Amino acid sequence: MLFKNFIQFYEIGKDLGLSRKEINQIFFFQKKIPLSFGLLIILVVSILTFFFWNIIVLIYLENSGAVYAQGTKYSSIGINDFKNRK
Amino acid sequence: MIFQSAFFSIALIISIIDIITGSIIGTIITKWLASKKNWDSSLKVAFLVNLPWILLSLILSILETFYIRVIYMDFPFITVNMHIIVIVNLLIAFVINTILSTLLVHRLYRKELNNSLFFVTRILIILYILMYIFAIIRSYFLGLAAIS
């Protein structure tokens, strides 16, 4: 049904003497967003992405470091950890 | 500890040398392309077009140095692929750079946004490829492939 409509659009357009490019414009929004506005939106979105991506990475790096038990100096690994080792 | 801090400051100095080289190359490319199109071919305007690249590269290099420091300090405990962080940052910086430079070209050369977007994209693609080649050559000489 959809393809039938498309073909009909092309046939009507050809009868009216429109070029292929002009017929194709029917399928897109007539009110185009101006390029300057689009660029500004992309700029804001990418700056926010850059900011949050780096914050996420920093938080991950901060939290994935070595965690020591209270009172220990270098490592929390004890002899008991190796008992089950074969 | 002294060795480590020296290592990181060397990394930062190398990236600053990269930025200076890139800004010179970018200015030359901009001047060349502008004169090819019969636009204003002054060095000052060409340098101003490359200003966003310089600033963003500086921010990126400081961030990278910081990341390398954090990763290498806790090396046995953290398994992070440094290249993913660098590549994502580079891609986002490319988009920001392109748009800022486009707006600058639109303002300074007084051309349409379409034309200035194509102009800037061409400059940046050439610049990024050249800087990548430069980083590979430099890493061969200095053995600092991780900081490229």
Side-chain angles (χ1 to χ4, degrees), chain B residues 1-2 20 28 32 35 58 62 66 89 91 110 117 121-122 129 131 142:
Chain B
M1 206 59 191
I2 295 163
I20 293 164
I28 291 165
W32 169 60
S35 59
L58 201 68
I62 291 165
F66 182 71
N89 273 340
L91 285 173
R110 301 210 175 275
L117 185 65
T121 315
R122 205 186 291 173
I129 292 168
M131 287 315 291
L142 297 173

Side-chain angles (χ1 to χ4, degrees), chain B residues 22 31 33 37 41 45 48 56 66 85 91 119 123 130 144:
Chain B
K31 195 176 177 302
L33 279 175
K37 287 191 167 199
S41 59
V45 179
L48 280 173
L56 278 166
F66 182 71
I85 303 169
L91 285 173
F119 180 72
I123 291 166
L130 283 177
L144 291 167

